[in-house]
Protein backbone atom coordinates (compact mmCIF):
# COMPACT_ATOMS: atom_id res chain seq x y z
CA UNK A 1 0.00 0.00 0.00
CA UNK A 2 1.26 3.50 -0.79
CA UNK A 3 1.81 6.02 1.99
CA UNK A 4 -0.97 8.55 2.43
CA UNK A 5 -2.43 11.45 4.41
CA UNK A 6 -6.17 11.53 4.86
CA UNK A 7 -8.22 14.43 6.14
CA UNK A 8 -11.82 15.08 5.26
CA UNK A 9 -13.32 17.84 7.41
CA UNK A 10 -16.85 17.91 5.94
CA UNK A 11 -19.61 17.23 8.47
CA UNK A 12 -22.32 15.00 7.00
CA UNK A 13 -25.87 15.34 8.29
CA UNK A 14 -27.70 12.39 6.79
CA UNK A 15 -31.29 11.26 6.92
CA UNK A 16 -35.00 11.87 6.75
CA UNK A 17 -36.09 15.48 7.37
CA UNK A 18 -32.52 16.59 7.96
CA UNK A 19 -32.85 19.87 6.02
CA UNK A 20 -34.31 21.54 9.11
CA UNK A 21 -30.96 20.95 10.85
CA UNK A 22 -29.50 23.62 8.58
CA UNK A 23 -30.44 26.23 11.13
CA UNK A 24 -27.84 25.02 13.61
CA UNK A 25 -25.00 24.92 11.07
CA UNK A 26 -24.91 28.51 9.81
CA UNK A 27 -23.28 31.09 12.09
CA UNK A 28 -25.85 33.56 13.51
CA UNK A 29 -24.14 36.64 12.15
CA UNK A 30 -23.57 35.28 8.66
CA UNK A 31 -24.87 37.03 5.57
CA UNK A 32 -25.72 34.11 3.35
CA UNK A 33 -25.82 33.78 -0.43
CA UNK A 34 -28.22 30.94 -1.24
CA UNK A 35 -27.04 29.50 -4.56
CA UNK A 36 -29.33 27.26 -6.61
CA UNK A 37 -29.92 25.96 -10.12
CA UNK A 38 -32.66 26.15 -12.70
CA UNK A 39 -35.55 26.05 -10.28
CA UNK A 40 -36.22 22.37 -9.47
CA UNK A 41 -36.00 23.27 -5.76
CA UNK A 42 -39.03 25.52 -6.13
CA UNK A 43 -41.16 22.66 -7.46
CA UNK A 44 -40.27 19.91 -5.02
CA UNK A 45 -40.54 21.68 -1.66
CA UNK A 46 -36.79 21.84 -0.96
CA UNK A 47 -36.72 25.65 -1.32
CA UNK A 48 -39.42 26.12 1.36
CA UNK A 49 -37.62 23.76 3.74
CA UNK A 50 -34.34 25.64 3.26
CA UNK A 51 -35.94 29.08 3.64
CA UNK A 52 -37.71 28.09 6.81
CA UNK A 53 -34.48 26.71 8.29
CA UNK A 54 -32.72 29.99 7.39
CA UNK A 55 -35.35 32.28 8.90
CA UNK A 56 -32.96 33.64 11.54
CA UNK A 57 -30.15 34.76 9.23
CA UNK A 58 -29.92 37.33 6.47
CA UNK A 59 -30.20 35.66 3.08
CA UNK A 60 -29.69 36.89 -0.49
CA UNK A 61 -30.56 34.48 -3.32
CA UNK A 62 -28.80 33.68 -6.56
CA UNK A 63 -30.57 31.18 -8.82
CA UNK A 64 -29.90 30.05 -12.36
CA UNK A 65 -26.66 28.08 -12.11
CA UNK A 66 -26.95 25.81 -15.17
CA UNK A 67 -25.96 22.14 -15.38
CA UNK A 68 -22.21 22.25 -16.09
CA UNK A 69 -21.79 25.45 -14.08
CA UNK A 70 -21.05 28.31 -16.43
CA UNK A 71 -18.26 30.77 -15.71
CA UNK A 72 -20.16 33.79 -17.07
CA UNK A 73 -23.11 33.14 -14.73
CA UNK A 74 -20.76 32.61 -11.80
CA UNK A 75 -19.15 35.99 -12.42
CA UNK A 76 -22.59 37.58 -11.92
CA UNK A 77 -22.90 35.74 -8.61
CA UNK A 78 -19.41 36.88 -7.64
CA UNK A 79 -20.48 40.47 -8.16
CA UNK A 80 -23.45 39.94 -5.82
CA UNK A 81 -21.10 38.48 -3.19
CA UNK A 82 -18.92 41.59 -3.36
CA UNK A 83 -21.74 44.16 -3.52
CA UNK A 84 -23.72 42.58 -0.71
CA UNK A 85 -20.75 41.76 1.54
CA UNK A 86 -21.71 38.11 1.69
CA UNK A 87 -19.84 36.07 4.33
CA UNK A 88 -21.22 32.55 3.86
CA UNK A 89 -22.38 30.50 0.86
CA UNK A 90 -25.06 27.83 0.79
CA UNK A 91 -25.38 25.58 -2.26
CA UNK A 92 -28.75 23.91 -2.71
CA UNK A 93 -28.55 21.56 -5.66
CA UNK A 94 -26.58 18.86 -7.43
CA UNK A 95 -22.95 18.76 -8.48
CA UNK A 96 -23.29 21.78 -10.74
CA UNK A 97 -24.59 24.10 -8.03
CA UNK A 98 -22.11 22.77 -5.49
CA UNK A 99 -19.18 23.09 -7.92
CA UNK A 100 -20.30 26.58 -8.87
CA UNK A 101 -20.38 27.47 -5.18
CA UNK A 102 -16.86 26.10 -4.72
CA UNK A 103 -15.69 28.37 -7.52
CA UNK A 104 -17.39 31.31 -5.77
CA UNK A 105 -15.82 30.31 -2.46
CA UNK A 106 -12.38 30.42 -4.09
CA UNK A 107 -13.00 33.49 -6.26
CA UNK A 108 -14.47 35.56 -3.39
CA UNK A 109 -11.11 35.53 -1.60
CA UNK A 110 -8.88 35.34 -4.70
CA UNK A 111 -6.23 38.05 -4.81
CA UNK A 112 -5.47 37.89 -8.55
CA UNK A 113 -7.07 39.94 -11.33
CA UNK A 114 -8.92 37.27 -13.33
CA UNK A 115 -10.71 34.47 -11.48
CA UNK A 116 -10.37 32.27 -14.60
CA UNK A 117 -6.69 31.91 -13.59
CA UNK A 118 -7.86 29.68 -10.71
CA UNK A 119 -8.84 27.17 -13.43
CA UNK A 120 -6.44 27.86 -16.29
CA UNK A 121 -3.36 28.18 -14.06
CA UNK A 122 -4.46 25.46 -11.71
CA UNK A 123 -4.25 27.62 -8.58
CA UNK A 124 -5.11 25.61 -5.47
CA UNK A 125 -7.41 27.21 -2.93
CA UNK A 126 -5.95 26.98 0.57
CA UNK A 127 -8.68 29.13 2.15
CA UNK A 128 -12.07 29.87 0.62
CA UNK A 129 -15.21 31.63 1.80
CA UNK A 130 -17.00 29.14 4.09
CA UNK A 131 -19.90 27.26 2.53
CA UNK A 132 -22.31 24.43 3.22
CA UNK A 133 -24.49 22.34 0.92
CA UNK A 134 -27.94 20.82 0.78
CA UNK A 135 -27.55 18.02 -1.76
CA UNK A 136 -30.51 17.48 -4.08
CA UNK A 137 -28.99 14.97 -6.53
CA UNK A 138 -26.68 12.10 -5.59
CA UNK A 139 -23.99 11.66 -8.24
CA UNK A 140 -20.75 13.60 -8.09
CA UNK A 141 -19.62 13.34 -4.47
CA UNK A 142 -18.95 17.09 -4.58
CA UNK A 143 -20.81 17.39 -1.26
CA UNK A 144 -17.87 15.77 0.55
CA UNK A 145 -14.82 16.58 -1.54
CA UNK A 146 -12.75 19.63 -2.40
CA UNK A 147 -12.87 19.54 -6.20
CA UNK A 148 -14.98 21.35 -8.78
CA UNK A 149 -15.31 21.46 -12.55
CA UNK A 150 -16.30 24.71 -14.29
CA UNK A 151 -17.44 25.24 -17.88
CA UNK A 152 -16.77 28.23 -20.13
CA UNK A 153 -19.05 28.11 -23.15
CA UNK A 154 -17.37 31.00 -24.92
CA UNK A 155 -14.17 28.99 -25.34
CA UNK A 156 -15.68 25.48 -25.14
CA UNK A 157 -13.57 24.69 -22.08
CA UNK A 158 -14.29 22.61 -19.00
CA UNK A 159 -11.56 22.71 -16.36
CA UNK A 160 -11.06 21.40 -12.86
CA UNK A 161 -10.01 23.19 -9.68
CA UNK A 162 -9.66 22.38 -6.01
CA UNK A 163 -7.65 22.65 -2.81
CA UNK A 164 -8.02 21.97 0.90
CA UNK A 165 -9.97 25.22 1.38
CA UNK A 166 -12.84 23.90 -0.72
CA UNK A 167 -14.35 21.18 1.43
CA UNK A 168 -17.91 22.10 2.43
CA UNK A 169 -18.22 22.91 6.16
CA UNK A 170 -21.26 20.64 6.20
CA UNK A 171 -23.51 18.81 3.76
CA UNK A 172 -27.11 17.85 4.39
CA UNK A 173 -28.15 14.60 2.74
CA UNK A 174 -31.85 13.87 2.95
CA UNK A 175 -32.59 10.88 0.68
CA UNK A 176 -36.20 12.06 0.34
CA UNK A 177 -35.00 14.68 -2.20
CA UNK A 178 -34.50 11.83 -4.67
CA UNK A 179 -38.27 11.40 -5.10
CA UNK A 180 -38.49 14.28 -7.62
CA UNK A 181 -35.37 13.51 -9.70
CA UNK A 182 -36.15 12.65 -13.35
CA UNK A 183 -35.10 9.20 -14.62
CA UNK A 184 -32.39 10.63 -16.84
CA UNK A 185 -30.68 12.28 -13.88
CA UNK A 186 -31.07 9.19 -11.70
CA UNK A 187 -29.33 7.14 -14.39
CA UNK A 188 -26.63 9.82 -14.65
CA UNK A 189 -26.08 9.76 -10.90
CA UNK A 190 -25.78 5.98 -10.74
CA UNK A 191 -23.36 6.01 -13.69
CA UNK A 192 -21.19 8.84 -12.39
CA UNK A 193 -20.77 7.24 -8.97
CA UNK A 194 -20.06 3.84 -10.56
CA UNK A 195 -17.37 5.42 -12.75
CA UNK A 196 -15.84 7.27 -9.81
CA UNK A 197 -15.25 3.96 -8.12
CA UNK A 198 -13.84 2.40 -11.29
CA UNK A 199 -11.42 5.30 -11.84
CA UNK A 200 -9.92 4.60 -8.41
CA UNK A 201 -10.03 0.81 -8.65
CA UNK A 202 -9.43 -0.31 -12.24
CA UNK A 203 -5.66 0.00 -12.26
CA UNK A 204 -3.38 -2.83 -11.11
CA UNK A 205 -3.30 -5.03 -8.00
CA UNK A 206 -1.21 -3.51 -5.25
CA UNK A 207 -2.20 -5.35 -2.11
CA UNK A 208 -4.59 -2.74 -0.76
CA UNK A 209 -7.15 -5.30 0.33
CA UNK A 210 -9.45 -3.01 2.26
CA UNK A 211 -9.55 -0.27 -0.41
CA UNK A 212 -10.41 -2.92 -3.03
CA UNK A 213 -13.26 -4.22 -0.90
CA UNK A 214 -14.53 -0.71 -0.13
CA UNK A 215 -14.65 -0.08 -3.88
CA UNK A 216 -16.26 -3.43 -4.71
CA UNK A 217 -18.91 -2.96 -2.02
CA UNK A 218 -19.90 0.43 -3.43
CA UNK A 219 -20.15 -1.05 -6.94
CA UNK A 220 -22.25 -3.96 -5.65
CA UNK A 221 -24.54 -1.60 -3.75
CA UNK A 222 -25.07 0.61 -6.80
CA UNK A 223 -25.83 -2.44 -8.96
CA UNK A 224 -28.31 -3.70 -6.36
CA UNK A 225 -30.19 -0.42 -5.86
CA UNK A 226 -30.12 0.81 -9.48
CA UNK A 227 -33.26 -0.99 -10.72
CA UNK A 228 -35.14 -0.18 -7.51
CA UNK A 229 -34.37 3.53 -7.61
CA UNK A 230 -35.18 3.81 -11.32
CA UNK A 231 -38.49 2.02 -10.75
CA UNK A 232 -39.43 3.97 -7.64
CA UNK A 233 -37.32 6.95 -6.50
CA UNK A 234 -39.56 7.17 -3.41
CA UNK A 235 -38.16 3.84 -2.15
CA UNK A 236 -36.40 5.24 0.94
CA UNK A 237 -34.19 2.23 1.54
CA UNK A 238 -32.93 2.27 -2.04
CA UNK A 239 -32.64 6.08 -2.02
CA UNK A 240 -30.59 6.21 1.17
CA UNK A 241 -28.19 3.53 -0.07
CA UNK A 242 -27.88 5.25 -3.44
CA UNK A 243 -27.13 8.61 -1.82
CA UNK A 244 -24.53 7.36 0.63
CA UNK A 245 -22.83 5.24 -2.07
CA UNK A 246 -22.42 8.32 -4.28
CA UNK A 247 -20.86 10.30 -1.44
CA UNK A 248 -18.53 7.46 -0.44
CA UNK A 249 -17.49 6.95 -4.06
CA UNK A 250 -15.67 10.27 -4.18
CA UNK A 251 -14.89 11.60 -0.73
CA UNK A 252 -11.25 10.55 -0.87
CA UNK A 253 -11.47 7.40 1.23
CA UNK A 254 -11.24 4.68 -1.41
CA UNK A 255 -8.37 6.31 -3.30
CA UNK A 256 -6.02 6.50 -0.33
CA UNK A 257 -2.93 4.32 -0.68
CA UNK A 258 -3.77 3.11 -4.19
CA UNK A 259 -2.98 4.23 -7.76
CA UNK A 260 -5.81 6.03 -9.56
CA UNK A 261 -6.58 6.49 -13.24
CA UNK A 262 -8.98 9.43 -13.99
CA UNK A 263 -8.26 9.35 -17.75
CA UNK A 264 -11.93 8.61 -18.47
CA UNK A 265 -12.93 11.82 -16.67
CA UNK A 266 -10.17 13.81 -18.37
CA UNK A 267 -11.38 12.75 -21.81
CA UNK A 268 -15.07 12.89 -20.84
CA UNK A 269 -14.87 16.54 -19.77
CA UNK A 270 -13.78 17.40 -23.32
CA UNK A 271 -16.89 15.71 -24.72
CA UNK A 272 -19.05 17.87 -22.46
CA UNK A 273 -17.09 20.97 -23.42
CA UNK A 274 -17.41 20.20 -27.15
CA UNK A 275 -20.93 18.76 -27.37
CA UNK A 276 -22.69 19.51 -24.06
CA UNK A 277 -23.19 15.80 -23.37
CA UNK A 278 -24.18 15.06 -19.74
CA UNK A 279 -21.08 14.36 -17.63
CA UNK A 280 -22.01 10.78 -16.68
CA UNK A 281 -22.79 9.88 -20.30
CA UNK A 282 -19.36 11.02 -21.47
CA UNK A 283 -17.85 8.52 -19.05
CA UNK A 284 -20.06 5.74 -20.43
CA UNK A 285 -18.84 6.61 -23.94
CA UNK A 286 -15.15 6.45 -23.06
CA UNK A 287 -14.88 3.73 -20.38
CA UNK A 288 -15.41 0.59 -22.52
CA UNK A 289 -12.87 1.70 -25.14
CA UNK A 290 -10.44 2.82 -22.45
CA UNK A 291 -10.56 -0.61 -20.82
CA UNK A 292 -10.24 -2.40 -24.17
CA UNK A 293 -7.31 -0.23 -25.24
CA UNK A 294 -5.49 -0.64 -21.91
CA UNK A 295 -6.51 -4.28 -21.55
CA UNK A 296 -3.06 -5.74 -20.79
CA UNK A 297 -2.32 -3.19 -18.07
CA UNK A 298 -5.73 -3.52 -16.44
CA UNK A 299 -6.74 -7.13 -16.99
CA UNK A 300 -5.82 -8.41 -13.53
CA UNK A 301 -8.08 -5.85 -11.87
CA UNK A 302 -10.75 -6.32 -14.53
CA UNK A 303 -10.76 -10.05 -13.74
CA UNK A 304 -10.96 -9.40 -9.99
CA UNK A 305 -13.91 -7.08 -10.65
CA UNK A 306 -15.49 -9.79 -12.82
CA UNK A 307 -15.21 -12.35 -10.03
CA UNK A 308 -16.14 -10.27 -7.04
CA UNK A 309 -18.66 -7.79 -8.44
CA UNK A 310 -20.25 -9.71 -11.32
CA UNK A 311 -19.72 -13.23 -9.94
CA UNK A 312 -18.01 -14.47 -13.11
CA UNK A 313 -16.07 -17.51 -11.91
CA UNK A 314 -15.44 -19.41 -15.17
CA UNK A 315 -12.61 -18.83 -17.65
CA UNK A 316 -9.09 -17.46 -17.81
CA UNK A 317 -8.01 -14.03 -16.57
CA UNK A 318 -8.41 -12.68 -20.11
CA UNK A 319 -11.87 -14.19 -20.53
CA UNK A 320 -13.10 -12.90 -17.19
CA UNK A 321 -11.67 -9.45 -17.86
CA UNK A 322 -13.39 -9.26 -21.25
CA UNK A 323 -16.66 -10.45 -19.75
CA UNK A 324 -16.42 -7.72 -17.10
CA UNK A 325 -16.26 -5.00 -19.77
CA UNK A 326 -19.35 -6.47 -21.45
CA UNK A 327 -21.17 -6.65 -18.08
CA UNK A 328 -20.34 -2.99 -17.46
CA UNK A 329 -21.77 -2.02 -20.86
CA UNK A 330 -24.86 -4.10 -20.09
CA UNK A 331 -25.34 -2.30 -16.77
CA UNK A 332 -25.15 1.08 -18.55
CA UNK A 333 -27.54 -0.02 -21.28
CA UNK A 334 -30.04 -1.17 -18.66
CA UNK A 335 -29.94 2.36 -17.31
CA UNK A 336 -30.65 3.54 -20.88
CA UNK A 337 -27.22 5.14 -21.11
CA UNK A 338 -25.76 4.94 -24.63
CA UNK A 339 -22.09 4.03 -24.88
CA UNK A 340 -21.03 5.41 -28.28
CA UNK A 341 -20.33 9.02 -29.23
CA UNK A 342 -22.37 8.60 -32.42
CA UNK A 343 -25.43 7.91 -30.23
CA UNK A 344 -25.19 11.54 -29.06
CA UNK A 345 -23.94 13.46 -32.09
CA UNK A 346 -23.46 12.91 -35.81
CA UNK A 347 -20.82 15.61 -35.81
CA UNK A 348 -18.12 13.41 -34.27
CA UNK A 349 -15.50 13.37 -37.06
CA UNK A 350 -12.31 15.07 -35.89
CA UNK A 351 -13.20 14.84 -32.17
CA UNK A 352 -10.33 12.49 -31.34
CA UNK A 353 -7.77 14.75 -33.04
CA UNK A 354 -9.21 17.83 -31.32
CA UNK A 355 -9.02 16.26 -27.86
CA UNK A 356 -5.47 14.99 -28.49
CA UNK A 357 -4.47 18.49 -29.56
CA UNK A 358 -6.05 20.07 -26.48
CA UNK A 359 -4.16 17.67 -24.22
CA UNK A 360 -0.89 18.37 -26.03
CA UNK A 361 -1.42 22.14 -25.76
CA UNK A 362 -2.25 21.78 -22.08
CA UNK A 363 0.83 19.66 -21.43
CA UNK A 364 -1.27 16.60 -20.51
CA UNK A 365 1.22 14.21 -22.04
CA UNK A 366 0.69 11.17 -19.84
CA UNK A 367 -2.64 10.27 -18.29
CA UNK A 368 -3.70 7.21 -16.34
CA UNK A 369 -2.21 5.29 -13.43
CA UNK A 370 1.05 4.72 -15.32
CA UNK A 371 1.14 8.28 -16.69
CA UNK A 372 1.81 6.78 -20.10
CA UNK A 373 -1.41 7.57 -21.93
CA UNK A 374 -0.01 10.00 -24.46
CA UNK A 375 -2.23 12.23 -26.63
CA UNK A 376 -1.91 9.82 -29.60
CA UNK A 377 -3.23 6.99 -27.41
CA UNK A 378 -6.07 9.22 -26.21
CA UNK A 379 -6.86 9.86 -29.86
CA UNK A 380 -7.14 6.13 -30.52
CA UNK A 381 -9.40 5.59 -27.49
CA UNK A 382 -11.73 8.38 -28.59
CA UNK A 383 -11.87 6.95 -32.13
CA UNK A 384 -12.73 3.54 -30.69
CA UNK A 385 -15.66 5.27 -28.94
CA UNK A 386 -17.25 6.74 -32.10
O1 LIG B 1 -30.90 23.10 -11.99
P1 LIG B 1 -32.06 22.47 -11.34
O2 LIG B 1 -33.36 23.08 -11.71
O3 LIG B 1 -31.89 22.31 -9.87
O4 LIG B 1 -32.19 20.97 -11.96
C1 LIG B 1 -31.16 20.02 -11.89
C2 LIG B 1 -30.42 19.88 -13.21
O5 LIG B 1 -31.24 20.19 -14.29
C3 LIG B 1 -31.79 18.66 -11.70
N1 LIG B 1 -32.04 18.30 -10.29
C4 LIG B 1 -31.16 18.32 -9.26
N2 LIG B 1 -31.75 17.89 -8.14
C5 LIG B 1 -33.04 17.62 -8.44
C6 LIG B 1 -33.23 17.89 -9.83
N3 LIG B 1 -34.42 17.73 -10.43
C7 LIG B 1 -35.45 17.30 -9.68
N4 LIG B 1 -35.34 17.01 -8.36
C8 LIG B 1 -34.16 17.16 -7.70
N5 LIG B 1 -34.06 16.82 -6.41
O6 LIG B 1 -30.82 17.77 -12.23
C9 LIG B 1 -30.14 18.40 -13.31
C10 LIG B 1 -28.67 18.07 -13.25
O7 LIG B 1 -28.06 18.66 -12.13
P2 LIG B 1 -26.47 18.74 -12.02
O8 LIG B 1 -26.16 19.39 -10.73
O9 LIG B 1 -25.91 19.32 -13.26
O10 LIG B 1 -26.05 17.20 -12.01
P3 LIG B 1 -24.85 16.46 -11.34
O11 LIG B 1 -25.05 16.36 -9.86
O12 LIG B 1 -24.70 15.21 -12.10
O13 LIG B 1 -23.58 17.41 -11.56
C11 LIG B 1 -22.84 17.40 -12.75
C12 LIG B 1 -21.68 18.36 -12.67
O14 LIG B 1 -20.75 17.97 -11.64
C13 LIG B 1 -19.44 17.81 -12.19
C14 LIG B 1 -19.73 17.46 -13.63
O15 LIG B 1 -18.62 17.64 -14.46
C15 LIG B 1 -20.89 18.37 -13.96
O16 LIG B 1 -20.43 19.67 -14.27
N6 LIG B 1 -18.65 16.86 -11.42
C16 LIG B 1 -18.18 17.24 -10.21
C17 LIG B 1 -17.35 16.46 -9.46
C18 LIG B 1 -16.82 16.90 -8.16
N7 LIG B 1 -16.97 18.14 -7.79
O17 LIG B 1 -16.23 16.13 -7.43
C19 LIG B 1 -16.92 15.12 -9.90
C20 LIG B 1 -17.67 14.62 -11.07
O18 LIG B 1 -16.86 13.68 -11.74
C21 LIG B 1 -18.13 15.65 -12.03
O19 LIG B 1 -17.10 16.03 -12.91
ZN1 LIG C 1 -17.74 12.06 -12.52
Amino acid sequence: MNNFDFKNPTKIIFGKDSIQKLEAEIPNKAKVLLVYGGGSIKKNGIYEQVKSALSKVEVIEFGGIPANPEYAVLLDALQVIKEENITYLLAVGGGSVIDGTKFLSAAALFKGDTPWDILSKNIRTEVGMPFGTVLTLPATGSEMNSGAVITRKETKQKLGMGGPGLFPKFSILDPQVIASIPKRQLANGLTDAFMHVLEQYMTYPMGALLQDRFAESILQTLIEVAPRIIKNPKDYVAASNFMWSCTMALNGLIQKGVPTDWAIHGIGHELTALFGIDHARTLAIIAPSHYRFNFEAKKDKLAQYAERVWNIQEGSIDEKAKAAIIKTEGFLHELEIDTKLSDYTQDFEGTAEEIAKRFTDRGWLGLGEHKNLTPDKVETIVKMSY
Side-chain angles (χ1 to χ4, degrees):
M1 198 186 298
N2 296 332
N3 294 356
F4 63 87
D5 293 352
F6 183 46
K7 179 177 180 184
N8 188 316
T10 301
K11 174 177 179 181
I12 295 293
I13 301 168
F14 189 98
K16 234 176 223 177
D17 302 329
S18 48
I19 296 178
Q20 49 186 287
K21 295 185 180 166
L22 187 54
E23 190 175 355
E25 299 304 319
I26 306 229
N28 292 334
K29 292 198 177 125
K31 186 166 182 188
V32 178
L33 186 71
L34 192 174
V35 184
Y36 63 94
S40 69
I41 62 165
K42 296 211 167 157
K43 295 187 204 126
N44 54 20
I46 295 173
Y47 177 79
E48 283 74 20
Q49 292 180 61
V50 167
K51 285 293 274 191
S52 111
L54 288 178
S55 59
K56 295 198 181 115
V57 287
E58 199 180 345
V59 181
I60 307 273
E61 296 182 17
F62 189 94
I65 306 289
N68 304 313
E70 165 58 33
Y71 181 64
V73 177
L74 294 168
L75 288 185
D76 292 341
L78 186 59
Q79 202 172 340
V80 175
I81 291 173
K82 298 208 161 145
E83 284 169 8
E84 297 285 346
N85 296 316
I86 297 293
T87 62
Y88 205 100
L89 306 171
L90 179 67
V92 183
S96 294
V97 171
I98 300 176
D99 281 12
T101 302
K102 286 178 178 173
F103 170 80
L104 294 173
S105 162
L109 305 188
F110 182 60
K111 297 278 187 279
D113 298 331
T114 352
W116 186 250
D117 288 353
I118 300 171
L119 292 133
S120 65
K121 297 188 180 157
N122 214 350
I123 298 173
R124 281 166 67 77
T125 300
E126 299 297 329
V127 182
M129 181 173 281
F131 69 98
T133 89
V134 175
L135 180 68
T136 67
L137 172 56
T140 63
S142 190
E143 66 278 8
M144 200 181 177
N145 69 40
S146 60
V149 198
I150 304 298
T151 295
R152 192 172 185 178
K153 269 206 187 120
E154 188 196 354
T155 50
K156 290 195 173 174
Q157 280 171 294
K158 181 164 180 163
L159 298 178
M161 56 178 282
L166 293 180
F167 282 99
K169 295 283 170 221
F170 66 87
S171 282
I172 297 190
L173 276 56
D174 180 346
Q176 294 173 118
V177 300
I178 293 168
S180 66
I181 301 175
K183 238 181 212 165
R184 164 174 157 190
Q185 299 298 345
L186 292 170
N188 283 351
L190 289 158
T191 300
D192 195 21
F194 201 85
M195 290 299 165
H196 291 160
V197 179
L198 291 183
E199 294 269 42
Q200 301 162 89
Y201 170 91
M202 204 60 77
T203 56
Y204 51 88
M206 72 113 54
L209 305 183
L210 183 60
Q211 289 90 325
D212 276 2
R213 289 198 168 88
F214 279 151
E216 288 151 1
S217 64
I218 297 171
L219 296 171
Q220 286 171 314
T221 308
L222 288 168
I223 291 167
E224 185 173 335
V225 300
R228 287 172 63 184
I229 205 75
I230 294 287
K231 189 163 157 228
N232 177 17
K234 293 196 176 86
D235 176 339
Y236 186 80
V237 175
S240 50
N241 283 289
F242 169 36
M243 194 172 231
W244 189 225
S245 294
C246 292
T247 302
M248 290 301 291
L250 195 51
N251 65 1
L253 179 71
I254 68 171
Q255 72 184 3
K256 291 298 156 188
V258 298
T260 57
D261 181 344
W262 294 112
I264 299 167
H265 271 71
I267 303 170
H269 289 329
E270 300 304 326
L271 295 180
T272 302
L274 290 166
F275 300 109
I277 301 169
D278 291 353
H279 168 66
R281 288 165 202 259
T282 68
L283 310 177
I285 294 167
I286 298 299
S289 310
H290 180 63
Y291 294 144
R292 290 194 172 101
F293 183 83
N294 294 292
F295 189 78
E296 280 306 312
K298 290 181 182 287
K299 68 182 183 186
D300 290 333
K301 255 346 227 317
L302 278 163
Q304 180 179 318
Y305 161 69
E307 285 168 16
R308 295 192 189 176
V309 175
W310 293 109
N311 198 21
I312 299 167
Q313 308 302 342
E314 303 293 319
S316 62
I317 297 268
D318 282 41
E319 284 163 350
K320 285 178 185 166
K322 280 181 189 154
I325 300 173
I326 292 168
K327 278 281 188 190
T328 309
E329 287 172 318
F331 174 65
L332 296 167
H333 293 154
E334 264 174 44
L335 291 171
E336 295 178 13
I337 299 262
D338 291 320
T339 50
K340 288 285 175 197
L341 184 56
S342 52
D343 296 324
Y344 298 86
T345 174
Q346 284 315 304
D347 194 20
F348 54 81
E349 286 303 339
T351 305
E353 291 84 350
E354 170 65 22
I355 294 177
K357 181 179 177 303
R358 286 178 169 211
F359 284 9
T360 306
D361 292 348
R362 217 179 280 156
W364 287 15
L365 303 179
L367 272 66
E369 67 273 22
H370 296 292
K371 308 255 172 280
N372 62 357
L373 212 62
T374 47
D376 60 309
K377 291 178 181 164
V378 167
E379 190 175 318
T380 307
I381 292 168
V382 177
K383 279 192 181 147
M384 287 166 68
S385 311
Y386 284 177

